[in-house]
């Protein structure tokens, strides 16, 4: 008891001593210095960390590849579990397919290339489009997307972007994605702290206790014809099992195609991460 009282007295004395210092006005330089330690600035400085592993189709799931950042830039690494080997990846299947930028300091990609590299998918006017890489021809796969009810949108979490959230089938013929319903969902407002007039940002984001929350309607779209298959299930919440956004670090890791592209599996979690569902 005496030790606890002494510790409490010591802490209170320390806080009093620091009181005048805590009243000092923060400057733009203070905010800029703090921002340098945010993850989006520190993550690119870490070398040789492994990204999400992707199993290659066939081979009885013996081979897996992942991306890592080295002193020379980003590399793809192929691991053969059966042969116990690890080497730089040069196979077409190991081409970078996520929607991150290429190299440090590059702008994040908004489109998602197909596994064969012949097409890339992106969002335009809340609808899903594909672009033929060779010819540049662009085709709309959906036409009923509207504001607050668009396809593949990434704007219902603590972060938002214009990137498309989707997963191509291994044969590059189909796309698994969703139509995200944000209608009647409340908005989140943030104001930046730059010098001068602040900029107001607003996007849909439900708060605890809100009756209406963001929901997604899962779909699979044929990349050649635009034919859509809607999952025969109620809409579910957009939360990932790994973070509080739909996709984590640009990767929709809760959705995975079978090797032959005939089925797609997914996992979904409730907002409190205590309940979930899965399907195929």
């Amino acid at each position: 008891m005496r030790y606890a009282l002494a510790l409490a007295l010591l802490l209170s004395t320390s806080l009093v001593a620091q009181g005048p210092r805590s009243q000092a006005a923060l400057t733009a330089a203070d905010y800029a210095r703090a921002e340098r330690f945010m993850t989006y600035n520190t993550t690119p400085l870490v070398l040789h960390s492994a990204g999400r592993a992707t199993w290659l189709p066939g081979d009885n799931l013996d081979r897996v590849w992942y991306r890592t950042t080295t002193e020379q830039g980003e590399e793809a690494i192929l691991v053969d579990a059966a042969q116990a080997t690890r080497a730089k990846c040069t196979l077409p299947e190991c081409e970078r397919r996520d929607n991150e930028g290429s190299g440090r300091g590059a702008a994040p990609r908004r489109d998602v290339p197909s596994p064969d590299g012949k097409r890339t998918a992106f969002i335009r006017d809340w609808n899903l489009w594909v672009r033929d890489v060779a010819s540049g021809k662009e085709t709309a796969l959906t036409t009923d997307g509207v504001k607050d009810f668009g396809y593949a949108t990434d704007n219902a979490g603590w972060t938002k972007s214009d990137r498309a959230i989707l997963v191509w089938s291994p044969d590059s013929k189909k796309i698994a994605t969703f139509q995200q319903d944000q209608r009647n969902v409340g908005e989140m407002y943030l104001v930046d702290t730059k010098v001068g007039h602040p900029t107001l940002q607003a996007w849909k984001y439900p708060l605890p206790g809100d009756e209406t929350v963001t929901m997604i309607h899962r779909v699979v779209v044929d990349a050649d014809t635009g034919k859509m298959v809607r999952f025969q299930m109620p809409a579910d919440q957009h939360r990932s099992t790994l973070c509080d956004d739909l996709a984590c670090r640009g990767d929709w890791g809760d959705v995975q195609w079978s090797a032959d592209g005939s089925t797609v599996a997914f996992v979904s979690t409730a907002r409190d991460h205590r309940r979930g569902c899965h399907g195929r």
Side-chain angles (χ1 to χ4, degrees):
M1 176 65 77
R2 292 181 179 178
Y3 175 78
L5 291 175
L7 179 60
L9 179 60
L10 178 62
L11 290 175
S12 62
T13 304
S14 176
L15 292 174
V16 171
Q18 295 179 10
R21 184 179 179 180
S22 65
Q23 299 302 317
L26 295 175
T27 66
D30 293 325
Y31 283 105
R33 183 167 54 254
E35 187 180 18
R36 290 201 297 268
F37 295 94
M38 298 297 289
T39 54
Y40 52 77
N41 284 325
T42 58
T43 298
L45 303 178
V46 179
L47 299 178
H48 305 291
S49 60
R52 176 177 178 267
T54 301
W55 292 99
L56 295 181
D59 298 322
N60 295 319
L61 293 180
D62 287 335
R63 297 185 301 166
V64 63
W65 73 276
Y66 64 90
R67 283 176 295 273
T68 185
T69 304
T70 70
E71 291 80 358
Q72 288 72 42
E74 190 175 75
E75 292 182 354
I77 303 298
L78 176 65
V79 176
D80 191 317
Q83 302 297 323
T85 60
R86 176 181 179 277
K88 292 182 181 180
C89 182
T90 58
L91 298 175
E93 295 96 326
C94 294
E95 293 178 354
R96 191 154 57 89
R97 297 179 291 171
D98 66 358
N99 51 2
E100 296 293 324
S102 55
R104 295 185 181 184
R109 293 191 67 160
R110 299 179 179 179
D111 60 327
V112 183
S114 60
D116 62 10
K118 295 181 179 180
R119 288 183 286 195
T120 187
F122 62 97
I123 302 170
R124 176 179 293 161
D125 297 331
W126 302 289
N127 281 292
L128 184 64
W129 289 65
V130 290
R131 179 186 301 110
D132 182 85
V133 174
S135 66
K137 180 182 178 180
E138 297 178 344
T139 304
L141 296 182
T142 67
T143 58
D144 61 332
V146 294
K147 185 178 184 297
D148 297 331
F149 198 22
Y151 288 92
T153 52
D154 179 40
N155 56 350
W158 283 113
T159 61
K160 63 185 180 71
S161 74
D162 295 324
R163 61 183 176 170
I165 306 300
L166 55 90
V167 179
W168 284 88
S169 61
D171 58 9
S172 301
K173 294 182 179 180
K174 296 183 285 292
I175 297 173
T177 186
F178 52 84
Q179 188 174 13
Q180 184 163 222
D181 191 357
Q182 301 171 303
R183 297 169 297 183
N184 302 317
V185 174
E187 292 189 335
M188 172 66 68
Y189 299 95
L190 292 179
V191 179
D192 60 31
T193 55
K194 68 181 181 181
V195 177
H197 293 285
T199 301
L200 177 66
Q201 300 183 52
W203 69 91
K204 296 291 185 177
Y205 188 84
L207 296 177
D210 285 358
E211 183 175 348
T212 304
V213 300
T214 302
M215 306 292 280
I216 62 174
H217 300 258
R218 298 175 183 269
V219 300
V220 169
V221 185
D222 189 299
D224 293 319
T225 66
K227 181 179 179 180
M228 180 184 298
V229 175
R230 290 186 177 270
F231 287 25
Q232 298 301 305
M233 58 174 287
D236 59 298
Q237 293 194 10
H238 77 285
R239 296 288 177 178
S240 166
T241 57
L242 301 177
C243 68
D244 283 336
D245 204 354
L246 195 147
C248 304
R249 299 182 66 180
D251 189 359
W252 198 18
D254 293 324
V255 177
Q256 185 173 1
W257 285 92
S258 61
D260 61 2
S262 62
T263 60
V264 60
F266 71 91
V267 178
S268 175
T269 182
R271 192 178 187 188
D272 58 8
H273 295 284
R274 294 180 180 179
R275 304 178 308 279
C277 67
H278 60 85
R280 171 172 284 184

